[in-house]
Structure formats: C-alpha cells, structure tokens
Amino acid sequence: MAGPRVEVDGSIMEGGGQILRVSTALSCLLGLPLRVQKIRAGRSTPGLRPQHLSGLEMIRDLCDGRLEGAEIGSTEITFTPEKIKGGIHTADTKTAGSVCLLMQVSMPCVLFAASPSELHLKGGTNAEMAPQIDYTVMVFKPIVEKFGFRFNCDIKTRGYYPKGGGEVIVRMSPVKQLNPINLTDRGCVTKIYGRAFVAGVLPFKVAKDMAAAAVRCIRKEIRDLYVNIQPVQEPKDQAFGNGNGIIIIAETSTGCLFAGSSLGKRGVNADKVGIEAAEMLLANLRHGGTVDEYLQDQLIVFMALANGVSRIKTGPVTLHTQTAIHFAEQIAKAKFIVKKSEDEEDASKDTYIIECQGIGMTNPNL
C-alpha cells in the first residue's frame, strides 16, 4: 500500500494549519504516506500548536496510522495512513483551538470509513481565526450536504477564548461516492436572520446592542427585508467561560447562504461587534458569488473527491482557497480551472467560477 512519500512544503501560500489539514486528510483518504516540512514556518509561533496536534492525532486514530514528529513546536511530521475505520473518536485541543477546524480535517475521511462515525470534538466552539460553530451548522452544513451525505452536529457545550472547554458531537455515515455540485445561480436575497449571544458573566444588554447595531447597519443598504437577529443568553450549563458574538446569515431564492460574524473582545463595545459582522455580510453579498469567502476553501476538498465536474461561483479567490486547490491538485490529482465569470450581471464585479474535475473517490469498504 505504501508508495513513495508525498512531500509537502508547509510554508508556501497560506503557510499555516490549513496546509496540514488538507494534506493529511487527502493522505489518509488516498492511502498515501506523507511528509510535511516547514510547518507554519513563517508564523510568529512556528510549528505545531495544540489544535494542529489534536487534528493530526485524530486523523492518525481514524485510520490506525503512524505519525512521527508530532509534538508542540515541531515543524516536520511524517504520516503513514492505514484503513479508515468508523466508530467513536475523540479529539481535544485542551485550549480554545477550534472544534470546527477539527471537523474540517476529519469529515472527508470518515465519509469513506467502513462504518458510521461519532466524533467527539473538544475545544473552542466560537473562537477567533476559525469558523464559529453556528457558521458550521447554519451555512457549511446545508451546502456541503449537496455532495450527497448527511451529518448531525450536536452542540453539547460552548467554549470561548482563552479556555475553550466546548464540546460538539458529530455523527455521520459513510458514502459510496460524493456527487459533484453546481452552485452558479445566485438568485436574490430573500431572508436575513441571525443570533447575537452572550455567555457567562456578560449582561444580556450586550446581545441586544450587538443585534440592534447590526440591524441598523444592514438597513442602510437593504431596506425591503425584515432582518431578524435574535439576542440569546447561552444557558449556564451549556457554555463554559465568558464570551459574546454575533452571526448573521443571508439566504437567497436559490438556497445560497452567506454569513458575516464577529466575536467580542475585552474593551470593544457591543455596537462595534454587531457592525463588523453586518459589514462582513454586506461585503459578501456585493461580489455576486454563490458562496461567501469562508465557504470557498472548505468546499475544495469535497469537489476534488466528487465523481464528476463541480462548479462554484465566488467573489475574489482567497489565499486559503488557492492553497486548498494547490494541494488537491498535487496530492489527489484533481483538476481545477479558475476563471472570471462571463455572465452579464457579473461583468462589473470581481466574480469567478471555480471548476473541478473530481477524482471520483470510491469507498473501498462499501
């Protein structure tokens, strides 16, 4: 099974944890031994951080693989995958490291397992520099399920920076193959909704202020739609630590979903958090694509594995997306074409079509 090792330079392009996630997931799926060097070489704290390590250990456990060089601060690892198995797997970042990033690395793998899986992911559910769990459930889930699978995401406890302490349980069954997707028809915005939350010691007024400021900001640009942002006090027994934040979703007539989100930080007033999320959402609605800038790169691996041609329409192609494409081409040998959209209504906008000829990965266990 083990051929020559795939060599990956972890310092190019996005240069961070994403390279590790994409390359180890593909290595695991395709049974290709892997060496990643110069991991996060350009970052202020180079090498593996706790959340990267727990992601690697999880992938290793999913397939009874061999992992060498995996410790905090390490800049080189080798990974030798074996057969992917289902069952119960736990990954704990022991920090506010994002459970959503753990989900990103493990989900493609367990789709091609021998039996259903239950992933117990522990860490931050609403953390900086990563999708919030609400984004994963409200935006990522309905779109990624278009590839022809279902998963269930049960948020047991929410956890915030700096302690983490959140837990999410993801359940999914394997598939034989993934269907390609075609997301090129934007439609028009029909609904805008969201949630503004406070947890721990923060007063409920903060949630109301974030929501109100966000609504005011959106109203300036979109007048004819009711904007429904619920202020929420996270129940004491379902949230660990203190935090506040907001996520706002726009839904279109064709089922496209876009989001803007923001997390509160000490000393930043609530209005500013709400406005930041609203402005992010509005920016994502201006470019004419069918996915927002955060969903773009999360779909690449699935497109690469699918059986047939997938197309998505996006705004400017992010560095994360370019990185995912690079490694999907290098490791999985999928073929991508990125070109400017030729539709009339996109002419004045920065809109692109990402097209992929997927490799038609087949689950050997089913």
Side-chain angles (χ1 to χ4, degrees):
M1 168 148 170
R5 276 193 192 281
V6 175
E7 298 284 345
V8 163
D9 180 343
S11 68
I12 63 171
M13 302 177 81
E14 182 268 340
Q18 190 211 11
I19 293 178
L20 211 53
R21 286 189 292 279
V22 171
S23 58
T24 47
L26 291 172
S27 152
C28 175
L29 280 159
L30 299 163
L32 297 168
L34 176 75
R35 178 188 287 119
V36 187
Q37 299 177 32
K38 300 188 204 161
I39 295 166
R40 301 183 68 256
R43 297 294 201 255
S44 54
T45 48
L48 297 175
R49 306 303 305 146
Q51 71 262 31
H52 306 120
L53 189 55
S54 46
L56 283 174
E57 289 169 346
M58 178 168 214
I59 288 277
R60 176 198 64 199
D61 297 345
L62 285 176
C63 70
D64 278 334
R66 249 193 4 263
L67 183 59
E68 288 146 65
E71 54 205 55
I72 305 291
S74 165
T75 55
E76 182 175 330
I77 59 114
T78 60
F79 174 56
T80 313
E82 294 294 334
K83 191 175 159 171
I84 304 170
K85 56 192 204 316
I88 298 175
H89 300 279
T90 300
D92 187 353
T93 65
K94 304 194 173 54
T95 63
S98 165
V99 295
C100 302
L101 296 180
L102 290 174
M103 206 184 294
Q104 257 181 45
V105 66
S106 53
M107 188 176 280
C109 300
V110 296
L111 278 175
F112 292 90
S115 59
S117 303
E118 190 173 293
L119 310 174
H120 294 241
L121 310 175
K122 299 175 184 180
T125 57
N126 299 76
E128 284 293 346
M129 308 297 295
Q132 296 191 43
I133 191 66
D134 308 273
Y135 182 91
T136 300
V137 172
M138 295 161 84
V139 178
F140 172 76
K141 182 181 189 304
I143 303 297
V144 84
E145 286 182 341
K146 292 179 190 290
F147 286 101
F149 65 92
R150 294 270 171 273
F151 71 95
N152 175 275
C153 185
D154 183 7
I155 305 167
K156 288 288 182 213
T157 318
R158 288 168 177 271
Y160 311 97
Y161 183 81
K163 291 202 179 82
E167 181 178 11
V168 173
I169 298 178
V170 178
R171 296 181 184 88
M172 57 198 298
S173 292
V175 292
K176 183 72 187 162
Q177 267 190 335
L178 293 176
N179 306 325
I181 62 167
N182 184 21
L183 292 182
T184 49
D185 182 5
R186 160 70 169 269
C188 52
V189 179
T190 53
K191 263 194 220 159
I192 298 179
Y193 52 92
R195 73 194 298 269
F197 71 86
V198 290
V201 299
L202 294 164
F204 187 56
K205 179 182 186 319
V206 169
K208 290 198 286 203
D209 289 352
M210 287 187 296
V215 171
R216 282 196 303 273
C217 182
I218 292 168
R219 280 275 153 72
K220 285 184 198 146
E221 204 159 313
I222 301 174
R223 290 185 188 81
D224 50 348
L225 277 181
Y226 174 61
V227 181
N228 179 17
I229 303 174
Q230 295 288 323
V232 181
Q233 169 79 58
E234 301 291 8
K236 288 273 182 278
D237 58 341
Q238 286 165 34
F240 183 79
N242 308 311
N244 68 296
I246 181 170
I247 178 164
I248 317 163
I249 314 274
E251 196 173 309
T252 76
S253 52
T254 54
C256 299
L257 296 161
F258 300 83
S261 65
S262 181
L263 286 166
K265 292 183 207 49
R266 196 164 294 198
V268 176
N269 81 16
D271 286 27
K272 201 169 164 201
V273 181
I275 290 166
E276 184 178 73
E279 285 180 341
M280 186 193 288
L281 175 67
L282 292 169
N284 270 310
L285 289 173
R286 281 182 207 119
H287 60 54
T290 59
V291 296
D292 66 31
E293 58 184 314
Y294 300 101
L295 197 58
Q296 250 187 50
D297 65 280
Q298 295 186 61
L299 298 179
I300 297 300
V301 168
F302 297 97
M303 291 167 72
L305 297 170
N307 183 29
V309 177
S310 290
R311 281 185 200 86
I312 59 174
K313 190 189 276 195
T314 71
V317 179
T318 66
L319 182 56
H320 269 93
T321 298
Q322 291 166 24
T323 306
I325 289 174
H326 177 88
F327 289 102
E329 291 191 320
Q330 183 195 334
I331 302 170
K333 305 287 186 260
K335 299 266 187 294
F336 283 85
I337 299 169
V338 179
K339 55 176 191 275
K340 203 117 169 49
S341 169
E342 284 154 14
D343 289 358
E344 263 96 83
E345 71 265 25
D346 299 331
S348 59
K349 301 188 184 121
D350 225 3
T351 316
Y352 297 83
I353 301 283
I354 301 175
E355 184 175 298
C356 172
Q357 174 68 58
I359 63 170
M361 172 87 189
T362 308
N363 191 333
N365 309 296
L366 292 186

